[in-house]
Amino acid sequence: MHGGSPASARLLGYGRQDVAEEDIAAVVEVLRGDYLTCGPATELFEESIRAATDACFATAVANGTAALHIACLAAGIGPGDEVIVSSITFAASANCVLYCGATPVFADIDPDTWNVSPASIREKVTCKTKAVIAVDFGGVPVDHDAIRAICDEFGLTFIEDAAHAIGTRGHGGAVGSIADITTFSFHPVKTVTTGEGGAVTTDDPDLARRIQLFAKHGITRDVAQMRCPDEGGWYYEQLELGYNYRISDIEAALGASQMRRLPEFSRRRRELVAYYDREFAGIPEVSFQLDPSPEETTRHLYVLRFDLEVLGVGRRFVFDALRAENIGVNVHYLPVYRLAPYAHVRHESRK
């Protein structure tokens, strides 16, 4: 920052896709085929997600935000409802609530795991609460058992935002088959990428049907759902006001190929986390996220918390100094309730 050579000759971004020749070949095969969308590559990708998560149903969609939106729609969230969301997450985890006309209520995080605190969730429940959106921060799974108990007690839908957590296993099995609805993201900085893409998983057939409808215009060709099933093979019905959130076969082919590499990605990320934990454990001015079961976690982010008071500097100084060394750190995340669309939303204790 004050002269000299940077520690790295090139910028090391905090996350980047790993695309191999077999991934490229899978995409090229689709480009040379008959289906660029709504074809067999999408079905293959969805099957790979079901296999990795142990979920009964998986719907691949255009991106992780679309996944969150249709998860809320499938859960019946609408105007007048409240949804409890972690305060430390990417904005999409709460934006999806606003998309539905409902109100996000921000819960605090656990000081050790940095995941949403079950005690804070319980504190925020009111007669208007419809669901909980719990984020697996950095890939570390939320406390499924405690959150499930709260949701069952108050009749809430448990939506797990697992945008960071493909390949992670939690208290009750693979992330993707534990919550009522789970959403994933396949952005290029994530463990598995499709370029842009997302997915929604569930074990509930009724929720799965609604997820599929909202992802595909609300239109069905399933005769079992039609009012006039005998019209002919050309006939379809629109049952909901859905969206065009479909993923293309080009993206899905990349995703299916990447999913075959998920064990490799997970193993390498665990090795890196173990290395970082050992190295940073000897530096008292920094702390890192507590993961009760690191052998079951596939990390998306490795985050450090600096004791700025002891260091005698501000966060901007640390950020600028690391960037000057070509270490492409970033801040994860700005508290959502400080963003402009949430200026009207209360986030203090509601006891």
Side-chain angles (χ1 to χ4, degrees):
M1 190 160 60
H2 301 300
S5 300
S8 174
R10 62 182 180 86
L11 180 67
L12 300 176
Y14 78 85
R16 185 182 185 276
Q17 70 276 7
D18 184 333
V19 177
E21 287 301 319
E22 60 261 39
D23 300 327
I24 296 170
V27 173
V28 171
E29 183 178 355
V30 168
L31 291 171
R32 289 175 172 160
D34 295 328
Y35 294 92
L36 297 187
T37 192
C38 300
T42 296
E43 296 173 4
L44 179 63
F45 182 39
E46 290 174 339
E47 173 54 37
S48 72
I49 295 167
R50 287 193 292 271
T53 63
D54 297 331
C56 294
F57 305 96
T59 300
V61 294
N63 52 64
T65 301
L68 283 164
H69 186 193
I70 60 176
C72 289
L73 292 169
I77 294 166
D81 294 330
E82 293 180 349
V83 178
I84 298 172
V85 185
S86 175
S87 55
I88 304 299
T89 180
F90 183 59
S93 304
N95 289 350
C96 58
V97 179
L98 294 185
Y99 296 159
C100 295
T103 300
V105 175
F106 293 106
D108 205 351
I109 61 171
D110 181 277
D112 295 321
T113 67
W114 306 347
N115 278 328
V116 64
S117 161
S120 185
I121 291 174
R122 178 176 289 279
E123 184 182 71
K124 304 293 182 176
V125 175
T126 72
C127 61
K128 295 181 179 181
T129 308
K130 189 71 173 280
V132 173
I133 298 177
V135 180
D136 301 311
F137 184 90
V140 176
V142 295
D143 189 338
H144 292 105
D145 293 342
I147 296 173
R148 168 57 69 198
I150 295 168
C151 288
D152 288 350
E153 179 181 346
F154 294 101
L156 311 177
T157 301
F158 180 6
I159 300 172
E160 185 171 6
D161 181 348
H164 299 180
I166 189 72
T168 289
R169 300 187 68 84
H171 303 87
V175 166
S177 60
I178 305 171
D180 296 314
I181 306 173
T182 306
T183 67
F184 295 95
S185 168
F186 303 111
H187 184 275
V189 298
K190 301 301 192 335
T191 302
V192 164
T193 187
T194 56
E196 285 281 2
V200 190
T201 62
T202 185
D203 284 347
D204 186 310
D206 292 330
L207 284 173
R209 180 185 63 82
R210 289 175 59 78
I211 288 164
Q212 286 259 347
L213 280 174
F214 284 117
K216 300 175 182 179
H217 300 283
I219 288 174
T220 185
R221 293 181 182 272
D222 181 356
V223 295
Q225 300 181 51
M226 292 181 181
R227 295 165 297 173
C228 306
D230 298 326
E231 289 292 322
W234 52 267
Y235 188 69
Y236 60 87
E237 290 188 13
Q238 183 173 351
L239 305 181
E240 302 278 0
L241 181 59
Y243 297 81
N244 182 6
Y245 281 160
R246 296 173 302 192
I247 194 170
S248 75
D249 269 39
I250 301 167
E251 296 164 306
L254 175 57
S257 180
Q258 289 258 303
M259 288 296 289
R260 288 192 287 271
R261 303 175 63 204
L262 180 56
E264 165 198 340
F265 292 153
S266 297
R267 182 171 56 254
R268 180 58 178 152
R269 285 168 181 260
R270 288 174 188 137
E271 289 173 355
L272 290 170
V273 168
Y275 171 77
Y276 291 150
D277 283 353
R278 289 194 302 271
E279 294 299 308
F280 288 120
I283 304 175
E285 293 84 4
V286 300
S287 57
F288 45 83
Q289 185 180 13
L290 177 64
D291 182 359
S293 303
E295 69 282 355
E296 298 286 342
T297 298
T298 300
R299 286 283 191 98
H300 159 53
L301 298 171
Y302 189 92
V303 181
L304 290 176
R305 183 179 181 185
F306 290 83
D307 190 332
L308 299 177
E309 185 174 346
V310 171
L311 289 170
V313 298
R315 179 164 62 178
R316 174 66 182 273
F317 179 92
V318 175
F319 179 87
D320 288 348
L322 287 168
R323 282 292 182 119
E325 301 289 359
N326 270 338
I327 309 300
V329 294
N330 216 330
V331 176
H332 291 82
Y333 294 91
L334 298 178
V336 182
Y337 55 78
R338 293 183 180 174
L339 304 179
Y342 299 94
H344 66 289
V345 177
R346 291 166 53 110
H347 59 273
E348 66 270 19
S349 171
R350 289 153 58 94
K351 283 183 178 178

